[in-house]
Amino acid sequence: MDNNKIVLKNVSKLYNKYAALKNITIKINEGEKVGIIGENGAGKTTLLAIIAGLSSASSGVVDVRGKVSAIMELGIVLREDLTGMENIFLSAQIMGKNRDQIDALLADIIDFIDIGDYIHRLVKTYSAGMKARLSFALLAFVDPEILIIDEVLGVGDAFFAEKSTRKLQELCSKGKILLVVSHSMDSIKQLTSRCLWLDRGNLIMDGESKEVCS
């Protein structure tokens, strides 16, 4: 079986006459941890959406081999009319987990979320921070082959941010691909070893994270 990988060759994305991406060519192999930086409107989210299959390129070749789990907006996967526990079971079932697999993960997920009795209350009663904890846990525990994080690392309190970072590092240690978009250079340098710098749809630099961030 082929290893997980992402290959983009001369990929462009047009919105009407505006080019969000211009002839992007990159290759990302299994085990790589890659940050993506750039100002607002640089094309970062568009690039992730194409890799995740949420959008299609206007031209070029896109070859993504591996199961993609994308955290593009925390809370978007939650059902407000269900409890936190019900959301856990529903999400796990949608992702193909059987009851034994869910039971094996349940204690770790509840411990990770750490919201006490609120896990049995309706999600519509949750604070934004609680929703962030729950939705991150639902995606982080699916054991993805390619994990995409778009600008959600700074949510919640410092303790939870640290837990989320440790979870991402754990996933990466299993040989998965990680793609992270963030305006925090510290997060990029901590989580990734390679970084892509985009500006107005162009790939300006592709190199070691500390060098690119500087």
Side-chain angles (χ1 to χ4, degrees):
M1 177 179 289
D2 291 332
N3 291 334
N4 303 317
K5 67 178 182 179
I6 300 168
V7 178
L8 275 63
K9 296 181 179 179
N10 298 318
V11 169
S12 296
K13 177 65 176 181
L14 300 177
Y15 293 104
N16 295 322
K17 295 183 179 181
Y18 170 71
L21 292 176
K22 304 174 184 176
N23 296 317
I24 301 296
T25 296
I26 57 173
K27 181 178 181 180
I28 301 171
N29 294 313
E30 182 170 300
E32 286 200 89
K33 297 171 284 185
V34 182
I36 304 174
I37 63 174
E39 295 182 353
N40 291 331
K44 305 183 301 296
T45 297
T46 298
L47 178 62
L48 293 189
I50 289 173
I51 293 173
L54 302 174
S55 181
S56 58
S58 301
S59 61
V61 176
V62 178
D63 183 13
V64 178
R65 301 187 186 183
K67 179 182 177 182
V68 177
S69 292
I71 308 178
M72 306 293 282
E73 181 181 348
L74 284 179
I76 198 169
V77 298
L78 299 180
R79 285 281 302 272
E80 297 268 334
D81 57 330
L82 299 179
T83 67
M85 187 70 76
E86 289 169 336
N87 267 279
I88 291 173
F89 277 90
L90 177 62
S91 179
Q93 290 168 353
I94 291 173
M95 294 173 185
K97 302 287 185 182
N98 59 40
R99 184 55 190 254
D100 289 342
Q101 290 172 316
I102 297 172
D103 288 341
L105 292 169
L106 191 57
D108 286 339
I109 292 175
I110 293 173
D111 180 66
F112 184 86
I113 299 169
D114 192 21
I115 57 174
D117 290 340
Y118 272 92
I119 196 69
H120 300 292
R121 300 185 187 182
L122 296 179
V123 169
K124 64 184 178 182
T125 67
Y126 284 18
S127 67
M130 290 178 181
K131 291 178 182 178
R133 287 169 175 257
L134 177 58
S135 55
F136 186 92
L138 294 181
L139 290 162
F141 281 87
V142 300
D143 195 26
E145 294 169 340
I146 299 173
L147 180 61
I148 292 176
I149 309 289
D150 186 8
E151 216 36 276
V152 296
L153 294 176
V155 299
D157 54 73
F159 178 68
F160 179 67
E162 183 180 343
K163 287 175 67 174
S164 301
T165 297
R166 289 201 303 269
K167 185 61 186 177
L168 292 176
Q169 291 170 334
E170 177 187 331
L171 287 173
C172 293
S173 70
K174 297 178 181 178
K176 313 305 182 185
I177 292 174
L178 174 68
L179 297 178
V180 180
V181 162
S182 180
H183 286 292
S184 168
M185 298 300 101
D186 287 340
S187 293
I188 293 294
K189 287 185 285 188
Q190 182 179 10
L191 285 170
T192 70
S193 56
R194 177 184 172 190
C195 186
L196 310 176
W197 174 17
L198 296 181
D199 183 59
R200 299 181 183 180
N202 296 292
L203 180 59
I204 302 300
M205 191 174 182
D206 178 354
E208 194 268 334
S209 293
K210 291 182 179 180
E211 181 182 358
V212 176
C213 286
S214 67

